[in-house]
Amino acid sequence: MLRPEDQFHVGIVAEDFEATLRQVSSLFGFEWSEAMGGSVEVELPTGATVIDFSCVYSKSSPRLEIVRRVPGTFWEPTPGSGIHHFGYWSDDVAADTAELESHGYVIEAIRKGPDGTPFFAFLRGTTGFRVELVTRSAQPSLERGWAHQAAPATGHMPVSSEE
């Protein structure tokens, strides 16, 4: 099962991305890493699609991820709550996905890496919150990104463990 020490961020999907960043910065003192994003191919229950995705991570812990809303997908603000998902490092995204499914979680999206194994997966639980599993091989790349100062939302999102 997933371990508390592998939880590395809380994701918030924002209706107004820039206003959310300003508010969280001014009220809670968060500073932001360089924006990540671009066209990302994902597999949804309805089939493969490409989405235009962008997000930023806080430079400090507890790590927050603010995601720009993607209309018509599950990357929409969660009604009644700002929390969209809890992100976990995974040594085996496929096995951890299967384990969560055996406990009632439903796959909402998977991104495969160059070798065909899952790079990340989003699953929704019966209590309403989502879990994002991210391959641990992406950790060094994301940590380098978190170290950079914020830039306009035109950055690059790592889409495989080779970036």
Side-chain angles (χ1 to χ4, degrees), residues 2 14-15 19 24 30 39 44 58 66 73 78 89 100 102 110 119 123 136 138 156:
L2 301 177
E15 182 76 38
V24 174
F30 280 93
S39 295
L44 304 175
S58 62
I66 308 295
T73 72
T78 303
W89 297 123
L100 287 173
S102 76
I110 293 177
F119 180 72
L123 298 99
R136 192 176 305 277
H156 175 70

Side-chain angles (χ1 to χ4, degrees), residues 43-114:
E43 293 180 28
L44 304 175
T46 56
T49 190
V50 176
I51 61 162
D52 186 26
F53 183 87
S54 64
C55 70
V56 297
Y57 285 93
S58 62
K59 294 182 72 169
S60 60
S61 292
R63 187 98 42 217
L64 295 180
E65 176 191 32
I66 308 295
V67 178
R68 185 180 305 272
R69 174 182 178 251
V70 182
T73 72
F74 74 93
W75 281 285
E76 293 273 7
T78 303
S81 170
I83 296 174
H84 183 263
H85 65 271
F86 293 92
Y88 282 84
W89 297 123
S90 172
D91 293 315
D92 186 339
V93 175
D96 289 339
T97 296
E99 180 67 19
L100 287 173
E101 283 183 298
S102 76
H103 291 277
Y105 278 75
V106 176
I107 296 172
E108 289 191 299
I110 293 177
R111 164 104 180 135
K112 292 188 178 175

